[in-house]
């Protein structure tokens, strides 16, 4: 709160009047007004006596900091032809992209672009990929005009493709080249480093390789976010590896989309949470994020052992075209162990053919159908149906059953876990979390089920993430904060219309969203303006009040 006399003589641009204000720090809400000038909150207090250019009546509504999504795959969304407000409709004002080792840059040449294409989502988004530095990628996003703020991690896959192609083994100097490219990305504003150790080519890396890049992130005081090498039967080994990297590099650690996957592992969420607490007791700064669903979404090819992708996309397609090779890889997948070629065993053993639904595919007839259905209609095995689907579209996506509801609730309730959607691009039958993650937590899990109190749910969506990733000025609703604000109705917020068949149904209860002082969702409707900012770590952010704010820690020397 602040003394209203400090602003009483001024005309404020926006006054949010009479809502229940949550500061984002977990405090109980208080009825108050929020005064905004330019892109900053200047005063919060009861019945502020100020003159405002615009007043929003928030009586009976909740007023909170704009939500921050720490785990997204919206990397190319700002480059799509039309503005995409699917996150604003959830109250999300800032997205962190570049997760799971997959950032949109740096891509050093056309060979790297071709290696990256199957995991880039560019084709389905109608976007053209090309060689670029990390800084040039951020420049492109800025020029295109994102609908919400964007910050990006630099991904290990992208670094490895640029330095080493899709080979399992490392060429001489490849680690040094990856470290050099990462260093340049941090200088350009990357807010952290990410890995996706279940996917090729990241799955080919060992602890030493990942640690070498994480040490560069540590020197820049940036976080390390990881999709574990295994989230199911080998969760213990996956957690141990992530913690060992953080221990060696002395880097902040973010465990991405925390879960225990596979029916044989259901009921063991406490192990994951206890492991995080044990690492923190050791002095490792580790947190996690989670989406509130029992299903996940990823590339259909993730069901394969990752070594099937060794060499290039064309080599994978050659393997899938050979009947003998198909069966050899099927046998490896069934073993659910590290393949002799190296890499990860893939996710085939963590789900069932009936639990795998194709969410995006070049063939519309395959979308919305399970592998079991495709196999039955074609008179083939589910494994053959999988091979055929990936052969026809190597970038196809799936939604698949993985988790138990009891584990989802236990993880969600833990104070060390943030809310992250893990959304893909908003096309086709993409997972409903893309359109409904945050309202689902607020409505279903906070209001209806009481898994966590509303102030705590808001903290997990705001200050917790801002602190972990160094987003200064965001994640709190206090005088001086960037004026990213969401106004919602706690009684109606939710995503009741969202389902696997209707994932893009509009969420309910999000009334207003303010982006750096601009109202971009007005009475529940998107204004059409692309007013998001690109947040570059260590770089000043222009302020409407003059001066600047650092988005992250002070830049460190690169020597």
């Amino acid at each position: 709160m602040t003394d209203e006399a400090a602003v009483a003589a001024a005309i404020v641009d926006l006054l949010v009047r009479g809502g229940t204000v949550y500061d984002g720090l977990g405090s109980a809400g208080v009825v108050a007004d929020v005064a905004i000038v330019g892109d900053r909150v200047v005063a919060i207090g009861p019945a502020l006596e100020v003159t405002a250019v615009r007043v929003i009546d928030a009586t009976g509504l909740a007023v909170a900091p704009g939500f921050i999504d720490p785990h997204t795959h919206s990397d190319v969304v700002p480059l799509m032809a039309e503005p995409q407000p699917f996150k604003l409709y959830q109250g999300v004002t800032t997205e962190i992209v570049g997760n799971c080792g997959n950032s949109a840059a740096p891509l050093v040449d056309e060979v790297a672009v071709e290696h990256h294409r199957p995991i880039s989502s560019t084709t389905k988004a109608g976007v053209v990929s090309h060689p670029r530095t990390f800084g040039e990628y951020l420049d492109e996003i800025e020029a295109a005009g994102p609908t919400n703020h964007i910050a990006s991690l630099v991904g290990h896959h992208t670094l490895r493709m640029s330095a080493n192609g899709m080979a399992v083994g490392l060429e001489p100097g490849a680690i040094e080249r990856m470290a050099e490219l990462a260093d340049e990305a941090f200088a350009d504003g990357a807010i952290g480093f990410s890995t996706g150790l279940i996917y090729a080519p990241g799955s080919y890396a060992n602890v030493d390789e990942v640690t070498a890049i994480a040490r560069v992130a540590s020197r820049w005081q940036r976080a390390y976010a990881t999709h574990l090498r295994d989230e199911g039967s080998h969760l213990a080994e996956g957690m141990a590896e992530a913690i060992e990297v953080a221990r060696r590099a002395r880097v902040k650690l973010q465990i991405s989309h925390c879960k225990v996957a596979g029916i044989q592992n259901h009921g063991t969420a406490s192990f994951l949470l206890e492991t995080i607490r044990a690492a923190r007791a050791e002095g490792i700064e580790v947190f996690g994020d989670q989406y509130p669903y029992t299903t996940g979404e990823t590339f259909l090819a993730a069901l394969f052992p990752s070594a099937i992708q060794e060499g290039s996309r064309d080599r994978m397609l050659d393997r899938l075209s050979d009947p003998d090779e198909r069966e050899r890889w099927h046998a490896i997948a069934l073993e659910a162990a590290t393949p002799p070629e190296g890499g990860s065993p893939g996710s085939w053993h963590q789900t069932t053919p009936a639990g795998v639904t194709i969410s995006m595919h070049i063939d519309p007839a395959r979308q919305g159908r399970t592998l079991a259905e495709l196999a039955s209609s074609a008179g083939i095995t589910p494994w053959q149906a999988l091979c055929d689907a990936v052969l026809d579209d190597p970038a196809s996506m799936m939604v698949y059953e993985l988790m138990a509801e009891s584990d989802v609730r236990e993880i969600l309730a833990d104070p060390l876990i943030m809310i992250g959607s893990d959304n893909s691009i908003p096309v086709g039958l993409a997972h409903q979390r893309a359109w409904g993650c945050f309202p689902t937590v607020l409505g279903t899990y906070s209001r209806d089920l009481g898994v966590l109190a509303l102030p705590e749910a808001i903290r997990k969506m705001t200050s917790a993430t801002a602190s972990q990733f160094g987003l200064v000025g965001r994640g709190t609703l206090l005088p001086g904060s960037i004026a990213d604000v969401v106004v919602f109705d706690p009684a109606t917020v939710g995503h009741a219309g969202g389902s696997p068949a209707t994932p893009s149904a509009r969420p309910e209860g999000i009334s207003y969203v303010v982006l750096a002082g601009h109202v971009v969702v007005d009475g529940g409707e998107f204004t059409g303006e692309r007013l998001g900012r690109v947040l570059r770590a260590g770089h000043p952010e222009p302020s409407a009040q003059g001066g600047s704010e650092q988005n992250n820690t002070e830049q460190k020397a690169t020597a």
Side-chain angles (χ1 to χ4, degrees):
M1 303 296 172
T2 191
D3 186 352
E4 65 184 75
V7 293
I11 297 177
V12 301
D13 297 313
L14 178 64
L15 185 69
V16 182
R17 174 79 78 185
T20 301
V21 177
Y22 295 87
D23 61 12
L25 298 170
S27 306
V30 296
V31 176
D33 301 340
V34 179
I36 295 168
V37 174
D39 65 354
R40 301 285 168 152
V41 175
V42 295
I44 302 175
L48 292 178
E49 295 183 3
V50 297
T51 301
V53 175
R54 176 170 181 189
V55 176
I56 290 176
D57 183 1
T59 303
L61 304 178
V63 182
F67 304 145
I68 302 171
D69 192 337
H71 193 99
T72 86
H73 295 281
S74 296
D75 303 67
V76 300
V77 168
L79 301 175
M80 294 173 72
E82 298 298 323
Q84 302 295 322
F86 66 110
K87 281 301 184 62
L88 291 178
Y89 283 137
Q90 298 181 59
V92 173
T93 53
T94 300
E95 292 186 87
I96 296 176
V97 302
N99 279 284
C100 296
N102 182 15
S103 59
L107 295 168
V108 296
D109 53 28
E110 290 291 349
V111 174
V113 170
E114 189 59 31
H115 286 318
H116 189 256
R117 198 177 306 282
I119 62 172
S120 69
S121 299
T122 51
T123 300
K124 291 177 174 59
V127 173
V128 177
S129 187
H130 56 88
R132 57 193 168 200
T133 67
F134 193 88
E136 288 169 344
Y137 162 69
L138 294 182
D139 289 343
E140 287 182 40
I141 297 298
E142 196 164 60
T147 54
N148 42 245
H149 308 313
I150 296 289
S152 183
L153 307 162
V154 60
H156 176 234
H157 294 325
T158 314
L159 296 171
R160 209 178 200 271
M161 289 170 179
S162 287
N164 200 70
M166 287 295 290
V168 172
L170 289 172
E171 295 293 327
I175 288 182
E176 292 77 10
R177 179 58 174 150
M178 282 188 273
E180 178 185 20
L181 290 170
D183 195 69
E184 292 171 0
F186 293 131
D188 286 338
I191 67 166
F193 166 56
S194 78
T195 55
L197 298 176
I198 190 174
Y199 305 114
S203 59
Y204 308 149
N206 59 22
V207 171
D208 291 340
E209 177 181 331
V210 176
T211 299
I213 314 304
R215 283 177 173 151
V216 182
S218 178
R219 178 158 44 80
W220 284 87
Q221 296 184 11
R222 311 287 161 81
Y224 167 48
T226 182
H227 178 145
L228 300 174
R229 194 176 296 271
D230 194 294
E231 298 172 318
S233 298
H234 298 280
L235 176 64
E237 296 94 320
M239 291 289 290
E241 178 182 31
I243 290 165
E244 178 63 15
V245 170
R247 181 184 294 118
R248 291 191 196 180
R250 306 313 302 176
V251 68
K252 281 184 174 184
L253 175 61
Q254 182 79 6
I255 305 296
S256 298
H257 39 58
C258 291
K259 64 172 72 73
V260 284
I263 190 169
Q264 66 273 29
N265 306 303
H266 290 174
T268 59
S270 58
F271 168 78
L272 182 148
L273 298 172
E274 289 163 3
T275 304
I276 290 176
R277 291 191 190 96
R280 290 182 62 81
E282 182 189 332
I284 296 170
E285 196 169 350
V286 54
F287 293 91
D289 55 69
Q290 182 205 24
Y291 50 81
Y293 302 90
T294 59
T295 53
E297 180 183 33
T298 190
F299 297 101
L300 195 58
L303 294 171
F304 294 128
S306 64
I308 201 172
Q309 300 180 58
E310 190 274 333
S312 67
R313 179 181 66 173
D314 288 343
R315 288 189 64 182
M316 178 183 74
L317 299 182
D318 288 342
R319 293 175 180 120
L320 294 179
S321 299
D322 184 325
D324 292 336
E325 280 287 289
R326 285 189 177 196
E327 289 312 306
R328 185 174 81 85
W329 287 103
H330 187 202
I332 293 172
L334 290 173
E335 290 177 5
T338 301
E341 292 88 346
S344 75
S347 299
W348 181 252
H349 64 286
Q350 293 181 343
T351 187
T352 66
V356 176
T357 300
I358 296 178
S359 58
M360 297 183 206
H361 199 279
I362 195 170
D363 177 8
R366 283 188 170 106
Q367 280 191 180
R369 302 184 71 191
T370 69
L371 287 180
E373 290 170 342
L374 291 172
S376 177
S377 64
I380 57 178
T381 68
W383 182 261
Q384 297 288 349
L386 167 64
C387 293
D388 288 346
V390 174
L391 189 61
D392 290 346
D393 183 359
S396 53
M397 301 284 290
M398 64 175 171
V399 172
Y400 61 138
E401 286 286 348
L402 283 175
M403 287 84 75
E405 177 66 21
S406 59
D407 288 328
V408 170
R409 295 187 192 188
E410 183 175 352
I411 294 170
L412 185 65
D414 194 278
L416 298 176
I417 306 300
M418 306 157 195
I419 308 303
S421 70
D422 195 14
N423 68 275
S424 58
I425 58 172
V427 301
L429 291 175
H431 197 294
Q432 66 221 57
R433 65 194 182 192
W435 291 274
C437 173
F438 288 78
T440 294
V441 171
L442 294 170
T444 301
Y445 287 92
S446 178
R447 180 192 62 232
D448 299 340
L449 298 175
V451 173
L452 64 170
L454 183 56
E456 174 65 359
I458 291 170
R459 184 192 68 82
K460 286 168 167 281
M461 298 175 175
T462 56
S463 67
T465 300
S467 176
Q468 173 74 327
F469 290 96
L471 298 174
V472 176
R474 290 183 164 81
T476 57
L477 197 51
L478 300 168
S481 298
I482 297 286
D484 293 340
V485 182
V486 56
V487 180
F488 66 93
D489 186 349
T492 63
V493 67
H495 194 214
S499 72
T502 58
S504 61
R506 180 87 63 85
E508 306 86 19
I510 305 294
S511 304
Y512 300 91
V513 178
V514 181
L515 199 65
H518 297 277
V519 179
V520 290
V521 172
D522 196 343
E525 295 297 327
F526 176 52
T527 65
E529 298 177 284
R530 302 172 79 143
L531 298 176
R533 296 175 175 177
V534 173
L535 309 181
R536 306 174 196 240
H539 292 235
E541 178 179 337
S543 168
Q545 295 173 287
S548 63
E549 190 76 31
Q550 290 288 83
N551 284 324
N552 203 314
T553 52
E554 187 175 327
Q555 290 194 49
K556 300 296 170 185
T558 59

